[in-house]
mmCIF file of all heavy atoms in Angstrom:
data_model
loop_
_atom_site.group_PDB
_atom_site.id
_atom_site.type_symbol
_atom_site.label_atom_id
_atom_site.label_comp_id
_atom_site.label_asym_id
_atom_site.label_seq_id
_atom_site.Cartn_x
_atom_site.Cartn_y
_atom_site.Cartn_z
ATOM 1 N N GLN A 9 10.906 18.917 -9.346
ATOM 2 C CA GLN A 9 11.676 17.574 -9.274
ATOM 3 C C GLN A 9 11.314 16.785 -8.130
ATOM 4 O O GLN A 9 12.142 16.405 -7.325
ATOM 5 C CB GLN A 9 13.200 18.103 -9.196
ATOM 6 C CG GLN A 9 13.653 18.735 -10.387
ATOM 7 C CD GLN A 9 13.791 17.916 -11.623
ATOM 8 O OE1 GLN A 9 14.706 16.930 -11.587
ATOM 9 N NE2 GLN A 9 12.811 17.854 -12.574
ATOM 10 N N ALA A 12 7.836 10.733 -7.612
ATOM 11 C CA ALA A 12 6.402 10.541 -7.556
ATOM 12 C C ALA A 12 6.229 9.254 -8.313
ATOM 13 O O ALA A 12 6.916 8.869 -9.109
ATOM 14 C CB ALA A 12 5.603 11.592 -8.127
ATOM 15 N N ALA A 141 4.259 -2.188 6.537
ATOM 16 C CA ALA A 141 4.720 -0.765 6.605
ATOM 17 C C ALA A 141 3.612 0.222 6.451
ATOM 18 O O ALA A 141 3.614 1.262 7.056
ATOM 19 C CB ALA A 141 5.651 -0.655 5.341
ATOM 20 N N PRO A 163 7.177 -18.661 21.373
ATOM 21 C CA PRO A 163 7.016 -19.517 20.199
ATOM 22 C C PRO A 163 6.305 -20.816 20.372
ATOM 23 O O PRO A 163 6.567 -21.357 21.469
ATOM 24 C CB PRO A 163 8.513 -19.723 19.760
ATOM 25 C CG PRO A 163 9.276 -18.602 20.543
ATOM 26 C CD PRO A 163 8.475 -18.306 21.670
ATOM 27 N N ARG A 207 9.757 -17.677 7.101
ATOM 28 C CA ARG A 207 9.193 -18.967 7.475
ATOM 29 C C ARG A 207 7.804 -19.034 6.789
ATOM 30 O O ARG A 207 6.993 -18.008 6.776
ATOM 31 C CB ARG A 207 9.033 -18.902 9.086
ATOM 32 C CG ARG A 207 8.685 -20.359 9.663
ATOM 33 C CD ARG A 207 8.678 -20.195 11.172
ATOM 34 N NE ARG A 207 7.540 -19.513 11.571
ATOM 35 C CZ ARG A 207 6.444 -19.852 12.116
ATOM 36 N NH1 ARG A 207 6.341 -21.283 12.333
ATOM 37 N NH2 ARG A 207 5.345 -19.270 12.547
ATOM 38 N N GLY A 215 -0.489 -13.214 6.385
ATOM 39 C CA GLY A 215 -1.368 -12.812 5.384
ATOM 40 C C GLY A 215 -2.804 -12.632 5.927
ATOM 41 O O GLY A 215 -3.517 -11.668 5.666
ATOM 42 N N LEU A 226 -10.364 -0.142 6.361
ATOM 43 C CA LEU A 226 -11.055 0.184 5.238
ATOM 44 C C LEU A 226 -12.551 0.619 5.415
ATOM 45 O O LEU A 226 -13.187 1.289 4.634
ATOM 46 C CB LEU A 226 -10.937 -0.786 4.124
ATOM 47 C CG LEU A 226 -9.585 -0.930 3.405
ATOM 48 C CD1 LEU A 226 -9.640 -2.220 2.531
ATOM 49 C CD2 LEU A 226 -9.391 0.342 2.390
#
Side-chain angles (χ1 to χ4, degrees):
Q9 296 289 283
R207 196 174 70 105
L226 283 168

